């Protein structure tokens, strides 16, 4: 089985712009979660989608949003980019939602905001 | 969220066992103990999880203290590929929505050849 794929792998944006990141889960997986990783804050949970519905949300401002499509692919959008949004954005998929399902992570998208 | 405490770093030699400790003194009865690791330039990967009894899988063993206030991840024979940041995470299994993975700083494991 192919693993979780994320596109693009690297991205450079300017302050004030918006960005959309894409995640394709493992085939058959219906849950997709997004995380932000920075040297200062570490890995932080953004949100989780299951069957096109947001099931869980972390403590991030409304500039961070996401959605999931009927084929389970997910996108994450960040509007009005700030320098502090520079980070590695990781997507993880699992076959179900809830604590019993292990998560499989993709390689991440490295976003740099200048 | 119940918190975990791990050493910032540990060092091991190749082919020797490694014991990675984790303290979680405020663990609740519905918290499972999960371990993930993150190899350099990769996303995290699941290692193992348990509730009360010791657990084994092909990657590692998890030893859980009787009072559940601490646990130890055991790599039986470390290889260079095991060099990574290891995260000990408590995950709420009570049926609510608070089951998200909350990563701490983790332990950076260095394996010497």
């Amino acid at each position: 089985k192919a693993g979780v794929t994320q596109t693009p792998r690297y991205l450079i944006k300017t302050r004030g712009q918006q960005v959309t990141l894409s995640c394709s889960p493992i085939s058959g997986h219906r849950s997709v979660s997004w995380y932000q990783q920075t040297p200062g804050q570490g890995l932080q949970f953004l949100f989780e989608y299951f069957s096109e519905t947001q099931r869980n949300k972390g403590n991030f401002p409304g500039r961070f949003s996401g959605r999931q499509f009927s084929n389970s692919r997910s996108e994450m959008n960040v509007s009005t980019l700030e320098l502090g949004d520079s980070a590695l954005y990781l997507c993880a998929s699992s076959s179900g939602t809830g604590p019993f399902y292990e998560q499989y992570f993709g390689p991440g998208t490295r976003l740099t905001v200048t | 969220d119940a918190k975990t405490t791990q050493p910032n770093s540990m060092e091991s030699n190749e082919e020797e066992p490694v014991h990675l400790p984790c303290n979680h003194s405020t663990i609740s009865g519905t918290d499972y103990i999960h371990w993930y690791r993150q190899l350099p330039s990769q996303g995290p990967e699941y290692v193992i999880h348990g509730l009360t009894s010791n657990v084994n899988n092909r990657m590692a063993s998890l030893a859980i203290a009787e009072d559940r206030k601490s646990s130890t991840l055991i790599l039986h024979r470390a290889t260079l590929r095991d060099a990574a940041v290891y995260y000990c995470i408590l995950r709420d299994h009570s049926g609510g929505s608070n089951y998200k993975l909350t990563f701490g700083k983790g332990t950076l494991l260095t394996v010497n050849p």
Side-chain angles (χ1 to χ4, degrees):
Chain A
K1 260 187 189 177
V4 177
T5 57
Q6 294 187 244
T7 55
R9 292 294 311 278
Y10 301 91
L11 204 49
I12 299 175
K13 289 286 188 179
T14 305
R15 267 181 306 176
Q17 288 186 315
Q18 75 163 14
V19 66
T20 299
L21 311 181
S22 181
C23 172
S24 292
I26 291 171
S27 177
H29 283 193
R30 296 168 61 195
S31 170
V32 172
S33 298
W34 288 89
Y35 297 81
Q36 181 196 65
Q37 185 170 28
T38 60
Q41 298 298 318
L43 267 157
Q44 292 185 285
F45 172 78
L46 279 155
F47 28 65
E48 177 198 10
Y49 285 87
F50 180 78
S51 293
E52 303 177 65
T53 302
Q54 189 179 87
R55 291 300 182 97
N56 225 329
K57 190 176 188 306
N59 297 322
F60 278 81
R63 299 185 298 107
F64 293 82
S65 64
R67 61 177 175 169
Q68 187 180 33
F69 303 96
S70 58
N71 62 358
S72 294
R73 191 177 68 84
S74 177
E75 287 183 348
M76 189 195 116
N77 185 275
V78 188
S79 62
T80 321
L81 283 166
E82 301 177 359
L83 294 178
D85 297 332
S86 294
L88 179 67
Y89 289 88
L90 291 155
C91 162
S93 77
S94 56
S95 56
T97 185
F100 296 101
Y101 296 92
E102 62 188 77
Q103 296 198 344
Y104 296 82
F105 284 79
T109 293
R110 173 74 62 186
L111 172 65
T112 301
V113 181
T114 61
Chain B
D1 291 338
K3 292 190 174 177
T4 63
T5 304
Q6 299 177 254
N8 290 334
S9 62
M10 289 185 65
E11 207 167 316
S12 172
N13 295 320
E14 203 174 7
E15 298 191 8
E16 290 184 356
V18 181
H19 290 231
L20 295 161
C22 181
N23 287 321
H24 28 78
S25 58
T26 60
I27 191 170
S28 75
T30 55
D31 285 333
Y32 273 63
I33 302 157
H34 289 247
W35 285 81
Y36 279 72
R37 71 179 185 180
Q38 187 171 20
L39 279 64
S41 302
Q42 293 187 28
E45 65 174 343
Y46 167 82
V47 177
I48 200 167
H49 78 274
L51 181 62
T52 55
S53 305
N54 294 346
V55 185
N56 301 296
N57 66 20
R58 63 173 182 82
M59 287 181 71
S61 295
L62 177 60
I64 302 172
E66 199 168 329
D67 63 4
R68 301 214 319 130
K69 293 186 177 183
S70 66
S71 59
T72 302
L73 180 70
I74 302 166
L75 307 178
H76 295 285
R77 287 181 73 224
T79 68
L80 297 178
R81 195 197 172 276
D82 291 322
V85 178
Y86 286 79
Y87 297 98
C88 170
I89 302 165
L90 298 184
R91 217 168 173 197
D92 181 11
H93 284 236
S94 64
S97 62
N98 193 30
Y99 55 80
K100 62 182 184 291
L101 287 174
T102 302
F103 289 84
K105 299 294 186 186
T107 297
L108 174 62
L109 176 65
T110 302
V111 180
N112 300 314

